[in-house]
Every structure is written in structure tokens, then in C-alpha cells.
């Protein structure tokens, strides 16, 4: 997890979840673990959805680290494989664009799965609270 994701989730916890919810749950007899899993975590779904999507996109589109580490063509990531269609004197554009289109499919599937939380996380709206 990158520093950006840590700060995103931390700021969401500090600014979007009121301290009164912690206190109310503690007064009702919940321990710290129950407060976290039953009160805080459901309200943090937008920030966590955003963090999951951004982290996945960051790792999925990584080029430099896999290029430095992977030595076998059988283990190339899709980004390295797309780069292999570019030669010194020619570029196979149809294959590069096809590879780029195929590489977007997992990101689109993840976005559709987390769409509601992603949009709420970007807008800054809390999942369980109406303003």
C-alpha cells in the first residue's frame, strides 16, 4: 500500500466518521474490535473501495519493476508484452492497441464491482450518513 493510500484512508477516518459514533458504541457495551467491525468498517467502504481500485491499478499498470525483475518471456506481465510489439524500426500498432484494450478489461471489471463505493469515495460523501 502506498503512502497516498494510507493518507487517504487515514483522513477519511478522521474527517468523515464522527467521534460520537465511537463513543456511542462504547457506551452501548461494544469493545474496540466490535466498534471497528460493526460501526467503523461499514462506514469506511467508500474510502476502502477507492484504495482497493487505486492500489490494483497501480500494481496492474506497473512496468519498471517487472521489467527489471522478470527474465523469462513466459512470465512477462501484459505491459511488458505490449512493449515487445515495438521494435527498433517498426511498431505493430494493431497488436499494441489490442493488448492495451485487453489490459483494461480487469480494471473495468474491478471498477464495476466497486463502482458505488468508488464514486462515494471520490465525492467525499459518507456511505451511511446523509448530509
Amino acid at each position: 500500500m502506498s503512502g497516498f493510500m494510507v493518507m487517504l484512508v487515514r483522513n477519511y477516518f478522521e474527517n468523515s466518521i464522527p467521534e460520537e459514533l465511537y463513543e456511542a458504541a462504547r457506551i452501548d457495551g461494544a469493545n474496540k474490535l466490535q466498534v471497528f467491525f460493526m460501526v467503523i468498517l461499514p462506514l469506511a467502504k467508500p474510502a476502502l473501495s477507492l484504495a482497493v481500485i487505486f492500489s490494483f491499478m497501480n500494481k496492474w499498470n506497473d512496468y519498471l519493476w517487472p521489467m527489471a525483475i522478470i527474465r523469462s518471456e513466459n512470465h512477462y506481465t501484459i505491459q511488458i508484452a505490449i512493449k515487445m510489439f515495438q521494435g527498433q524500426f517498426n511498431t505493430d500498432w494493431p497488436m499494441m492497441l489490442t493488448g492495451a484494450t485487453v489490459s483494461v478489461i480487469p480494471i473495468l471489471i474491478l471498477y464495476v464491482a466497486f463502482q458505488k463505493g468508488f464514486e462515494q469515495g471520490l465525492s467525499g460523501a459518507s456511505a451511511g450518513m446523509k448530509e
Side-chain angles (χ1 to χ4, degrees), residues 7-69:
M7 290 303 297
L8 175 96
V9 173
R10 179 186 169 277
N11 286 336
Y12 188 86
F13 276 104
E14 281 186 356
N15 299 325
S16 296
I17 300 176
E19 192 70 31
E20 290 82 13
L21 288 176
Y22 295 103
E23 295 168 4
R26 295 292 291 165
I27 290 171
D28 288 342
N31 61 27
K32 290 182 180 182
L33 202 58
Q34 289 173 325
V35 170
F36 179 74
F37 283 110
M38 299 172 90
V39 177
I40 305 306
L41 201 58
L43 292 175
K45 284 181 184 177
L48 296 176
S49 297
L50 195 65
V52 165
I53 290 173
F54 281 171
S55 295
F56 178 78
M57 283 178 47
N58 187 26
K59 295 303 176 196
W60 180 255
N61 290 324
D62 198 12
Y63 175 77
L64 189 59
W65 179 247
M67 186 67 177
I69 297 298

Side-chain angles (χ1 to χ4, degrees), residues 42-119:
L43 292 175
K45 284 181 184 177
L48 296 176
S49 297
L50 195 65
V52 165
I53 290 173
F54 281 171
S55 295
F56 178 78
M57 283 178 47
N58 187 26
K59 295 303 176 196
W60 180 255
N61 290 324
D62 198 12
Y63 175 77
L64 189 59
W65 179 247
M67 186 67 177
I69 297 298
I70 299 174
R71 298 289 176 223
S72 171
E73 287 187 16
N74 295 333
H75 297 105
Y76 279 170
T77 62
I78 194 164
Q79 285 70 23
I80 297 172
I82 290 171
K83 177 69 174 161
M84 294 300 139
F85 291 120
Q86 183 178 4
Q88 183 177 359
F89 299 109
N90 64 348
T91 301
D92 190 359
W93 288 108
M95 291 301 288
M96 281 185 81
L97 294 175
T98 302
T101 303
V102 169
S103 75
V104 170
I105 292 172
I107 294 172
L108 288 175
I109 291 171
L110 190 69
Y111 173 74
V112 168
F114 288 98
Q115 181 177 8
K116 182 179 178 183
F118 180 76
E119 290 172 355

